[in-house]
């Protein structure tokens, strides 16, 4: 494989992208810093196919990333391969308002191949290539320049290894017939809505015990205010106000700005400065949360009751058994909320009752809930046994 030097000029990048635009797939990775900012600071982009690989410096003066971003978001003929690519995809979305498509995530694919729910990159390399990667540059400050050869070699290795692993995974998926299992997961990962930070929905990230509409209304207003402050200042949300302080302010709102100086977690200066004034304006403009927007009482256990909770536990046991039998990560087969919904009597809109999930697990899960399957122990092993024939 030909390894290019660090790409820092637009012409070289455009030529590389022109070649890659005709390839069936490219492997992509990024290095970024976000500890001290709201928006991730893109510091390096690595890309490879089966013949060439390069690291691209997005911080280089005058570098035009358009050919690369177009390759990511506009070229539907090239598959974009990531490992645990959520944050990489988020960066592309922040730059373009679009996500890479079509895409393939090797961490997700590993679930269909029995390698666990969240296999790390180093373990994936060990499994498929048989060696341990050097982690020496893992904690590099990627924003500092110049980058030395060891840092660049470390970064490029992520995509050169991936370019060897992906074809092996793809071949195994074809042999096992499980490639189609991943289509829905990959489309979900590519959904732009996953990466859109709507300030009006930021309150959903903050845990608060109260369900009073006026408290949740204040929380929504405060979370929106914090999101906009963090975006405008390019600071992490917690640098503006921590979640627990936001929840406390929503539950116990100060009567006037001078009271902010007494709130734990806020600077005393907020009692008289501009940011404190904007916080108070957000509180004063808050309205009780509407009935339509109120969160359900318990997302995880919809009207289960004691018996329903026991049925959900049996479904989770069935999931473990079936996942072990077919050598697949349980989370790819079913999620806990689907199991609990099924136990509560829900039948419509559940992923486990559709497509391949129904064939591999959902049919038996439904039969268990409806009393047509049970558990037995034979020779010390837990088995499923049919108690009656399912209705046609």
């Amino acid at each position: 494989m030909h390894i290019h030097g660090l790409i820092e000029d637009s012409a070289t990048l455009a030529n590389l992208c022109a070649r890659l635009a005709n390839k069936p797939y490219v492997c992509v990775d990024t290095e970024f810093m976000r500890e001290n900012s709201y928006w991730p600071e893109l510091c390096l982009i690595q890309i490879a196919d089966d013949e060439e690989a390069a690291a691209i410096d997005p911080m280089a003066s005058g570098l035009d990333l358009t050919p690369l971003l177009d390759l990511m978001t506009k070229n539907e003929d090239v598959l974009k391969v990531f490992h645990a690519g959520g944050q990489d995809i988020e960066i592309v979305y922040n730059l373009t308002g679009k996500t890479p498509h079509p895409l393939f995530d090797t961490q997700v694919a590993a679930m269909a191949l029995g390698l666990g729910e969240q296999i790390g990159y180093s373990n994936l390399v060990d499994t498929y290539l048989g060696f341990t990667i050097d982690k020496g540059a893992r904690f590099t400050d990627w924003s500092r320049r110049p980058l030395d050869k060891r840092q660049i070699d470390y970064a490029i290795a992520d995509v050169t290894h991936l370019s060897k692993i992906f074809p092996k995974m793809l071949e195994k998926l074809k042999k096992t017939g499980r490639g189609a299992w991943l289509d829905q997961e990959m489309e979900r990962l590519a959904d732009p809505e996953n990466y859109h930070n709507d300030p009006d929905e930021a309150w959903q990230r903050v845990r608060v015990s109260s369900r009073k509409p006026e408290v949740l209304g204040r929380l929504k207003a405060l979370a929106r205010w914090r999101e906009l402050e963090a975006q405008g200042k390019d600071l992490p949300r917690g640098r503006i106000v921590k979640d627990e302080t936001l929840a406390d302010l929503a539950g116990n709102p100060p009567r006037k700005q001078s009271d902010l100086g007494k709130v734990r977690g806020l600077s005393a200066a907020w009692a008289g400065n501009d940011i404190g004034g904007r916080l108070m304006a957000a509180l004063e403009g808050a309205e009780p949360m509407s009935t339509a927007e109120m969160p359900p009482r318990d997302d995880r256990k919809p009207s289960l009751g004691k018996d329903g909770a026991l049925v959900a536990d049996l479904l989770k046991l069935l999931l473990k058994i079936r996942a072990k039998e077919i050598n697949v990560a349980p989370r790819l087969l079913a999620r806990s909320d689907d199991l609990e919904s099924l136990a509560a009597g829900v039948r419509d809109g559940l992923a486990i009752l559709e497509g391949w999930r129904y064939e591999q697990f959902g049919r038996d899960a439904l039969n268990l809930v409806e009393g047509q399957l049970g558990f037995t122990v034979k020779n010390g092993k837990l088995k499923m046994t049919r108690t009656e024939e399912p209705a046609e």
Side-chain angles (χ1 to χ4, degrees):
M1 177 180 289
H2 177 64
I3 308 296
H4 296 276
L6 182 64
I7 294 179
E8 301 175 284
D9 68 277
S10 298
T12 303
L13 177 60
N15 289 334
L16 172 67
C17 292
R19 292 191 300 274
L20 295 178
N22 297 308
K23 298 301 179 71
Y25 72 91
V26 292
C27 298
V28 186
D29 189 32
T30 65
E31 308 298 342
F32 55 89
M33 305 292 290
R34 70 184 314 165
E35 290 84 352
N36 299 309
S37 62
Y38 180 92
W39 307 105
E41 181 184 10
L42 180 59
C43 302
L44 200 67
I45 307 165
Q46 305 93 270
I47 192 165
D49 66 352
D50 59 342
E51 295 181 336
E52 58 182 323
I56 301 148
D57 185 1
M59 302 176 72
S61 177
L63 180 66
D64 182 7
L65 290 176
T66 301
L68 179 64
L69 296 175
D70 285 350
L71 174 64
M72 293 291 103
T73 62
K74 294 183 179 181
N75 190 324
E76 291 285 321
D77 296 324
V78 179
L79 183 67
K80 294 82 183 181
V81 181
F82 299 85
H83 179 80
Q87 294 189 87
D88 306 308
I89 296 166
E90 177 191 0
I91 288 173
V92 175
Y93 177 83
N94 289 341
L95 291 171
T96 66
K98 301 177 182 179
T99 57
H101 191 273
L103 63 79
F104 183 97
D105 192 304
T106 54
Q107 187 177 72
V108 177
M111 293 197 290
L113 298 174
L115 297 177
E117 295 191 351
Q118 288 185 313
I119 187 171
Y121 180 70
S122 59
N123 288 336
L124 191 73
V125 171
D126 185 37
T127 299
Y128 278 94
L129 303 182
F131 60 82
T132 301
I133 61 175
D134 175 17
K135 298 181 181 180
R138 182 172 44 169
F139 298 112
T140 285
D141 180 352
W142 294 102
S143 66
R144 296 184 65 179
R145 293 295 184 272
L147 296 172
D148 61 36
K149 184 177 184 302
R150 184 184 179 220
Q151 291 171 312
I152 296 171
D153 289 348
Y154 168 86
I156 290 181
D158 284 347
V159 288
T160 57
H161 298 334
L162 205 58
S163 70
K164 296 181 178 69
I165 292 170
F166 166 67
K168 295 176 183 287
M169 296 187 83
L170 188 61
E171 183 63 27
K172 193 168 183 180
L173 286 168
K174 288 178 179 177
K175 285 183 178 179
T176 57
R178 295 183 178 185
W181 292 13
L182 299 172
D183 291 345
Q184 185 179 11
E185 296 300 313
M186 299 305 177
E187 287 303 312
R188 181 183 299 160
L189 190 61
D191 185 351
E193 284 301 311
N194 294 329
Y195 310 97
H196 176 58
N197 284 328
D198 185 347
D200 286 325
E201 296 178 359
W203 66 274
Q204 297 175 11
R205 300 190 189 96
V206 184
R207 300 185 66 175
V208 62
S209 58
S210 176
R211 287 184 49 81
K212 294 179 179 179
E214 58 270 23
V215 173
L216 292 177
R218 287 192 292 265
L219 180 66
K220 179 180 178 179
L222 287 169
R224 182 181 191 280
W225 161 80
R226 182 180 68 170
E227 202 75 8
L228 294 174
E229 291 281 344
Q231 289 179 1
K233 293 178 169 61
D234 195 19
L235 289 172
R237 298 179 187 94
R239 292 276 189 90
I240 305 296
V241 180
K242 294 188 180 300
D243 282 3
E244 52 267 31
T245 304
L246 214 63
D248 185 47
L249 287 166
N252 303 283
R255 295 182 180 179
K256 52 187 182 299
Q257 184 175 347
S258 59
D259 293 337
L260 292 178
K262 305 171 186 176
V263 176
R264 183 178 180 182
L266 297 184
S267 167
W270 284 35
N273 65 11
D274 289 345
I275 191 170
R278 293 193 293 273
L279 185 156
M280 291 303 298
L283 275 175
E284 290 164 5
E287 297 181 356
M289 185 167 286
S290 67
T291 302
E293 200 172 5
M294 289 285 289
R297 289 193 173 275
D298 194 332
D299 285 329
R300 296 171 300 164
K301 297 182 178 180
S303 305
L304 276 177
K306 291 183 179 179
D307 290 342
L310 291 174
V311 174
D313 288 340
L314 289 176
L315 286 170
K316 292 172 185 176
L317 179 58
L318 173 63
L319 177 62
K320 289 181 180 179
I321 293 172
R322 183 51 45 81
K324 184 177 180 181
E325 286 176 349
I326 65 175
N327 192 30
V328 66
R331 191 163 66 91
L332 187 63
L333 276 178
R335 299 176 185 272
S336 292
D337 55 353
D338 272 3
L339 298 182
E340 290 164 354
S341 294
L342 184 65
V346 177
R347 298 293 182 268
D348 295 330
L350 298 183
I352 56 174
L353 299 183
E354 299 174 355
W356 70 269
R357 287 185 174 87
Y358 177 74
E359 297 297 327
Q360 298 295 328
F361 173 71
R363 179 187 287 113
D364 283 347
L366 191 59
N367 287 338
L368 177 64
V369 170
E370 296 179 350
Q372 295 162 352
L373 282 180
F375 293 99
T376 60
V377 178
K378 287 187 177 182
N379 300 320
K381 294 185 177 181
L382 201 60
K383 300 285 186 181
M384 297 300 299
T385 181
R386 189 165 296 284
T387 58
E388 59 181 83
E389 290 300 314
E392 293 296 332

